[in-house]
């Protein structure tokens, strides 16, 4: 074919460039992308082929050319086949799961237990197990078909591998990241700083940050000899653990085997286990009489425990146990009162961790092993106890509501074991103290009957105590040491409930009836608060007599004794002419003598300047009131006479139904009787009002304060209404400082 002639002005008329010979470029896109005219990412199999499910064809194969509708039909048929295959696999697994569930929970085993809640399917995985509660109300004994949604529980041995989700959607289906077990190594540990913290660790909250290059093995090298560890552990279990049972000796012995003989047990220690070992040793060393109070050895172990948690603070049972024991150490340490705000947050972390791994739900629902069920129950009720006590003493709301808890109390295996009985009745008491905290922190007002019901509930707990836990003045030398301390602790906890239950109404009576608080509508709370305060001072004195060195290392006795001292000082300073002022001053002097008996070197002596100042204020108030009374009485002819008794009409008009609930009616003034001692006030009050000590049976709707007990609120029409009152502001107004937890 002849070439086309070039014309002038045409682009084709430009001189032709010399052509170069190039080698043919290889094909770099897959054939299917070329066929579809798509840009291939040239990473085979490419993204387009992977998305379309034809990765096996990429890059050199391609689909046969078909029309679009036919391709869609072929793809749908393939997907339907895959779905049928997966459904068959799921059905086979469901059969296996049902067989396993029936083997774990035979139907006949529950047939004779009305109301028992059965666990759901149990699936096992590598190192962990996931269990689901029964999903049908019919299977759970609910006749109305209501679904029993207990939630999903995943258990594992590693930190962070245990999880619990309630009705929170499908989060439990997400596979948690597997924890990396930190193993010891033989590297030398860097030197300790002056404050006892490993060099390089930042003292950040809640746990110090772990620097690069330091492993868990570095910390493990600072364990004491095994004999020394056993020695401090024995001190802890024989002395310091009388108030709690977060960890039992067999479990700790197993942890020691992991720490000192990892090859023998074919296992290694994770950071939570090592932290638990260190913090128990810290508590034991703190109570070692061979060491000084607040010694550096105990503080060093405490800091090592915090450093261990820095590696991985994920949720686990040992994490909850460790933080609980940290709270006990910090409370009894020299810096205790100055760290309660920061540790409050750490305690909240432990409480949330307990919820995150489902400790508040009873392990029997998932068919766990009996030993694991008991451990979970014990750990939950101990952290619940700590949460309630700390919340009540600090006036803050507790984290765990009773409505969310179905974890039962740990089993009492021996009815005559005083230690097991102590903790069982302590947990019953905690349920009542939790209700007191609810009243204490709620934003709405409650009828005064609600407070009286709880007063009765506290008395019911006291009356239900077995003889081995009741105060016995005839104790001989054969009475176990731990039993004596647990008797004191039980009395202290019950009276602690009275202190915080009646606190606000006690101050209200002082404020509104300074001339005679016994004439207040809240005289019952006024007397109850003073009686509880008196008992707190008695408990402190008995603790010092039992073992002064040990008692001085436990802050709980001095904290409540300080609160009692302040209450008595407030009575004298605010109401120096009242009938109980002299008795209150006597208690102030008793309390001051108890604190002055503390040997040098203990933290309680730091409160002496405040106590002495309050004592001087109280004495001055009594002295001035006596002088003023003498002047007034000399003006008996009517020159400036002061009437110190409120009239019945004024009292009734001001307080309405108060005259019916007042244990010291106005007629007491006419007969000339007003108690002058706390014992007389308590006796007279018990004669006028049905109180717990004289009741043998509590209200039927309290249900014996069992595990399903709930507070029945009294009718507002039949009781005084409780109103908000700033207790601390009132005490500050009369120059009284409040104690710190």
């Amino acid at each position: 074919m002849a070439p086309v002639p070039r014309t002038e002005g045409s682009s084709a008329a430009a001189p032709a460039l010399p052509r170069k010979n190039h080698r043919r470029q290889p094909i770099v896109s897959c054939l299917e992308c070329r066929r579809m005219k798509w840009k291939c990412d040239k990473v085979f199999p490419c993204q387009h082929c992977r998305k379309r499910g034809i990765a096996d064809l990429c890059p050199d194969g391609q689909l046969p050319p078909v029309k679009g509708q036919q391709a869609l039909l072929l793809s749908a048929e393939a997907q339907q086949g895959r779905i049928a295959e997966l459904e068959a696999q799921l059905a086979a697994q469901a059969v296996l799961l049902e067989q396993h569930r029936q083997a774990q929970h035979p139907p006949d085993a529950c047939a004779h237990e009305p109301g028992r809640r059965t666990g759901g399917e149990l699936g096992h995985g590598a190192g962990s197990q996931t269990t689901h509660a029964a999903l049908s109300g019919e299977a759970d004994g609910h006749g109305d078909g209501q679904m029993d949604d207990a939630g999903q529980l995943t258990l594992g041995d590693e930190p962070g591998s245990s999880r619990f989700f309630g009705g929170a959607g499908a989060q439990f289906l997400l596979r948690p990241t597997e924890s990396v077990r930190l193993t010891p190594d033989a590297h030398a540990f860097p030197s300790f700083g002056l404050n006892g913290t490993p060099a390089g660790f930042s003292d950040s909250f809640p746990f110090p940050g772990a620097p690069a290059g330091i492993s868990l093995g570095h910390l493990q090298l600072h364990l004491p000899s095994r004999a020394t560890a056993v020695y401090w552990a024995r001190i802890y279990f024989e002395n310091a653990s009388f108030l709690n049972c977060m960890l039992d000796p067999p479990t700790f012995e197993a942890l020691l085997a992991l720490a000192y003989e990892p090859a023998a047990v074919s296992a290694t220690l994770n950071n939570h286990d090592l932290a638990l070992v260190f913090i128990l040793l810290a508590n034991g060393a703190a109570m070692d009489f061979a060491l000084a109070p607040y010694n550096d050895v105990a503080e060093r172990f405490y800091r090592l425990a915090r450093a261990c948690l820095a590696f991985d603070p994920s949720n686990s049972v040992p994490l909850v146990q460790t933080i609980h024991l940290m709270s006990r150490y910090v409370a009894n340490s020299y810096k205790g009162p100055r760290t309660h705000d920061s540790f409050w947050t750490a305690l909240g972390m432990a409480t949330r961790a307990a919820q995150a791994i489902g400790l508040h739900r009873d392990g029997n629902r998932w068919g766990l092993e009996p030993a694991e069920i008991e451990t979970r129950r014990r750990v939950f009720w101990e952290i619940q106890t700590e949460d309630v006590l700390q919340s009540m003493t600090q006036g803050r709301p507790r984290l765990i509501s009773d409505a969310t808890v179905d974890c039962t109390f740990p089993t009492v295996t021996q009815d005559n074991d005083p230690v097991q009985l102590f903790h069982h009745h302590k947990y019953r008491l905690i349920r009542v103290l939790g209700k007191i905290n609810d009243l204490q922190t709620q934003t709405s007002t409650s009828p005064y009957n609600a407070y009286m019901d709880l007063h009765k509930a506290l008395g019911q707990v006291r009356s239900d105590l077995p003889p081995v836990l009741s105060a016995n003045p005839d104790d001989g030398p054969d009475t176990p040491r731990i039993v004596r301390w647990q008797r004191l602790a039980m009395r202290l906890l019950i009276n602690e409930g009275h202190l915080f239950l009646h606190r606000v109404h006690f101050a209200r009576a002082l404020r509104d009836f300074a001339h005679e608080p016994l004439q207040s509508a809240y005289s019952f709370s006024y007397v109850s608060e003073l009686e509880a305060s008196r008992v707190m001072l008695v408990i402190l004195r008995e603790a010092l007599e039992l073992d002064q060195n040990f008692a001085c290392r436990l802050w709980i006795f001095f904290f409540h004794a300080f609160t009692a001292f302040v209450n008595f000082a407030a009575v004298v300073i605010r109401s120096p002419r009242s009938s109980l002022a002299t008795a209150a001053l006597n208690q102030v002097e008793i309390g001051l003598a108890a604190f002055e008996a503390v040997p040098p070197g203990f933290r309680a002596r730091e409160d002496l300047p405040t106590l002495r100042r309050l004592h001087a204020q109280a004495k001055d108030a009594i002295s001035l009131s006596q002088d003023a009374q003498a002047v007034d009485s000399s003006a008996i002819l009517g020159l400036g006479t002061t009437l110190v008794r409120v009239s019945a009409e004024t009292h009734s008009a001001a307080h309405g139904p108060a005259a019916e609930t007042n244990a010291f009616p106005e007629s007491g003034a006419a007969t000339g009787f007003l108690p002058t001692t706390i014992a007389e006030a308590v006796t007279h009050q018990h004669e006028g009002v049905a109180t717990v000590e004289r009741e043998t049976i509590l209200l039927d709707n309290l249900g014996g304060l069992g595990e399903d007990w709930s507070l029945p609120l009294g009718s507002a029409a039949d009781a005084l209404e409780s109103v908000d009152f700033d207790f601390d502001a009132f005490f500050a107004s009369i120059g009284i400082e409040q104690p710190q937890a």
Side-chain angles (χ1 to χ4, degrees):
M1 178 174 163
V4 179
R6 301 176 187 270
T7 58
E8 189 175 354
S10 171
S11 60
L17 296 176
R19 299 184 61 182
K20 296 182 180 180
N21 294 327
H22 293 280
R23 295 170 58 187
R24 178 173 294 182
Q25 296 293 326
I27 298 174
V28 292
S29 298
C30 73
L31 291 179
E32 188 62 20
C33 285
R34 294 182 65 200
R35 186 181 71 83
M36 299 299 295
K37 294 181 175 58
W38 289 336
K39 184 177 180 179
C40 184
D41 60 10
K42 303 173 186 177
V43 178
F44 306 122
C46 70
Q47 183 179 6
H48 291 303
C49 291
R50 290 197 305 270
K51 287 184 176 181
R52 298 172 64 198
I54 56 173
D56 55 328
L57 295 180
C58 189
D60 299 323
Q62 67 181 44
L63 292 173
V66 294
K67 294 183 179 180
Q69 187 66 24
Q70 185 178 358
L72 290 175
L73 291 175
L74 290 174
S75 177
E77 291 176 359
Q79 294 296 332
Q80 289 291 340
R82 179 59 175 163
I83 290 173
E85 179 183 352
L86 292 175
E87 287 179 343
Q89 294 178 6
L90 287 174
Q93 291 296 324
V95 172
L96 293 176
L97 287 173
E98 179 63 21
Q99 293 174 352
H100 181 78
R101 187 190 67 80
Q102 293 180 359
Q104 292 289 328
H105 304 285
D108 293 340
C110 300
H112 303 291
E113 296 183 35
R116 171 173 174 171
R117 298 193 172 192
T118 61
E121 295 81 11
L122 178 65
H124 296 277
S128 66
Q129 60 184 21
T130 302
T131 63
H132 306 269
L135 295 181
S136 84
E138 210 173 283
D140 197 38
H142 292 291
D144 57 1
Q146 181 181 356
M147 185 173 66
D148 178 22
D149 185 13
Q152 295 79 34
L153 178 69
T154 300
L155 297 178
D157 297 329
E158 295 298 322
S161 60
S162 296
R163 301 184 304 164
F164 169 81
F165 291 103
Q171 294 188 50
F172 71 96
L173 296 175
L174 300 177
R175 183 182 181 86
T177 303
E178 294 186 1
S179 301
V180 179
R181 184 181 291 275
L182 301 169
T183 55
D185 57 36
H187 291 139
F189 188 76
S191 61
F192 273 74
L194 294 177
N195 60 358
T197 303
F201 276 80
S202 62
D203 195 19
S204 57
F205 176 83
F207 308 116
I214 293 184
S215 71
L216 192 64
H218 294 144
L219 302 181
Q220 191 169 352
L221 291 175
H222 284 267
L223 284 169
S225 67
R226 184 162 189 174
T228 304
V230 171
Y231 166 72
W232 279 323
R234 186 170 64 251
I235 291 177
Y236 170 78
F237 286 114
E238 292 180 357
N239 294 312
S241 67
F242 73 94
L243 195 56
N244 62 78
C245 63
M246 180 59 83
L247 188 65
D248 57 1
T251 302
F252 187 71
E253 290 174 4
L255 291 177
L256 288 183
L258 283 176
Y260 290 94
E261 302 174 9
V265 296
S266 302
T268 54
L269 209 64
N270 63 42
N271 67 306
H272 290 186
D273 294 334
L274 185 57
L276 189 52
V277 171
F278 276 129
I279 193 58
L280 187 138
L281 295 180
N283 280 276
M287 299 299 159
D288 186 356
F289 297 163
L291 300 175
Y294 325 116
N295 58 79
D296 293 338
V297 176
E299 182 67 15
R300 187 167 179 256
F301 287 142
Y302 166 70
R303 291 175 179 268
L304 282 166
R306 294 182 68 232
C308 288
L309 295 183
F311 286 96
D312 182 5
S314 303
N315 302 323
S316 73
V317 169
L319 174 75
V320 178
Q321 294 172 305
T322 300
I323 297 183
H324 177 273
L325 292 179
M326 282 181 173
S327 74
R328 295 296 86 219
Y329 174 81
V330 170
N332 295 322
S333 68
Y334 183 80
K335 60 188 177 183
R338 293 180 289 275
T339 60
H340 68 277
D341 276 338
S342 61
F343 196 82
W344 166 264
T345 308
L347 179 61
M349 175 181 178
T351 307
R352 289 305 192 198
Q355 290 176 307
I357 58 179
L359 294 185
H360 59 297
R361 308 305 303 270
D362 196 72
N364 194 45
R365 301 177 64 90
W366 292 283
L368 305 179
E369 293 296 325
E372 186 171 10
I373 291 175
E374 289 301 313
T375 297
R376 289 171 61 88
R377 289 172 177 173
R378 186 180 69 249
V379 172
F380 170 75
W381 280 105
E382 285 299 322
I383 199 64
Q384 174 79 331
T385 297
E386 190 71 11
D387 181 35
V388 169
L389 292 179
Q390 293 286 347
S391 299
M392 188 172 65
T393 56
Q394 298 185 35
R396 298 168 177 172
R398 55 187 173 133
L399 282 179
I400 301 181
S401 168
D402 292 339
T404 65
V405 175
D406 65 1
C407 180
T408 61
F409 297 155
T411 304
V412 177
T413 58
Q414 298 180 10
D415 293 338
N416 59 349
D417 183 355
V419 175
Q420 293 189 48
L421 291 174
F422 169 79
H423 294 297
H424 176 78
H425 287 273
K426 178 185 70 175
Y427 301 144
R428 294 182 68 241
L429 173 61
I430 285 302
R431 292 185 66 87
V432 181
L433 298 185
K435 301 295 185 182
I436 292 176
N437 179 243
D438 293 342
L439 281 181
Q440 178 188 29
T441 58
Q442 68 184 13
T443 57
S444 59
T445 59
S446 294
Y448 194 50
N449 267 358
Y451 293 82
M452 296 299 293
D453 286 342
L454 285 174
H455 182 94
K456 296 174 184 178
L458 288 171
Q460 186 70 50
V461 172
R462 181 190 291 110
S463 64
D464 288 345
L465 291 177
V468 71
L469 294 179
S470 301
N472 187 355
D474 299 328
D475 279 342
D478 296 336
T479 303
R481 172 186 174 89
I482 192 171
V483 172
R484 294 187 178 188
W485 286 106
Q486 287 182 333
R487 288 175 178 173
L488 280 179
M490 184 60 69
R491 288 167 60 198
L492 182 142
L493 293 177
I494 291 174
N495 281 278
E496 179 181 348
H498 286 297
L499 277 179
F500 290 97
L501 175 65
H502 295 290
R503 195 166 182 255
V504 66
H505 298 104
F506 163 76
R508 183 73 183 273
L510 274 178
R511 188 195 69 176
D512 295 346
F513 286 81
H515 59 282
E516 183 51 75
L518 289 177
Q519 296 298 331
S520 166
Y522 304 109
S523 61
F524 188 94
S525 290
Y526 178 74
V527 174
S528 297
E529 185 79 5
L530 291 182
E531 173 63 7
S533 299
R534 184 193 65 81
V535 174
M536 285 299 186
L537 295 180
V538 171
I539 291 174
L540 174 61
R541 186 172 67 251
E542 292 181 3
L544 293 173
E545 292 173 354
L546 184 58
D547 190 332
Q548 185 185 64
N549 198 346
F550 182 59
C552 289
R553 296 172 188 247
L554 299 172
W555 182 241
I556 187 172
F557 294 109
F558 292 94
F559 168 74
H560 292 300
F562 189 100
T563 303
F565 185 100
V566 169
N567 287 342
F568 286 122
V571 170
V572 182
I573 295 171
R574 176 65 174 173
S575 305
R577 296 189 189 181
S578 63
S579 59
L580 295 179
T582 302
L585 179 61
N586 181 54
Q587 294 297 320
V588 168
E589 293 171 345
I590 291 174
L592 180 60
F595 274 81
E596 287 179 335
V598 174
F602 289 102
R603 192 177 80 196
R605 291 193 65 87
E606 290 193 351
D607 293 330
L608 279 175
T610 300
L611 299 178
R612 287 167 177 160
R613 178 177 60 82
L614 290 176
H615 177 238
Q617 283 183 258
K619 290 181 65 178
D620 290 343
I622 288 287
S623 176
L624 293 174
S625 70
Q626 289 175 347
D627 293 342
Q629 190 171 14
V631 171
D632 290 341
S633 61
S634 66
I636 196 168
L637 296 178
L639 301 176
T641 301
T642 301
L643 179 65
V644 296
R645 305 298 180 202
V646 64
S647 66
E649 294 80 5
T650 304
H651 186 274
S652 176
H655 298 281
E660 298 179 7
T661 60
N662 187 3
F664 303 93
E666 202 61 38
S667 59
T671 61
F673 173 77
L674 275 174
T676 57
T677 67
I678 299 173
E680 287 180 355
V682 172
T683 301
H684 186 69
Q685 179 165 266
H686 289 175
E687 291 174 354
V689 180
T691 56
V692 287
E693 289 77 4
R694 293 178 177 268
E695 286 184 336
T696 57
I697 301 177
L698 190 56
L699 300 177
D700 292 338
N701 56 2
L702 286 183
L705 292 180
E707 293 162 6
D708 297 327
W709 174 79
S710 60
L711 170 67
L713 294 179
S715 171
D718 298 329
L720 293 171
E721 184 179 357
S722 173
V723 296
D724 292 335
F725 182 71
D726 194 338
F727 186 89
D728 296 329
F730 164 66
F731 269 16
S733 69
I734 59 176
I736 295 182
E737 298 178 359
Q738 290 299 288
Q740 294 184 354

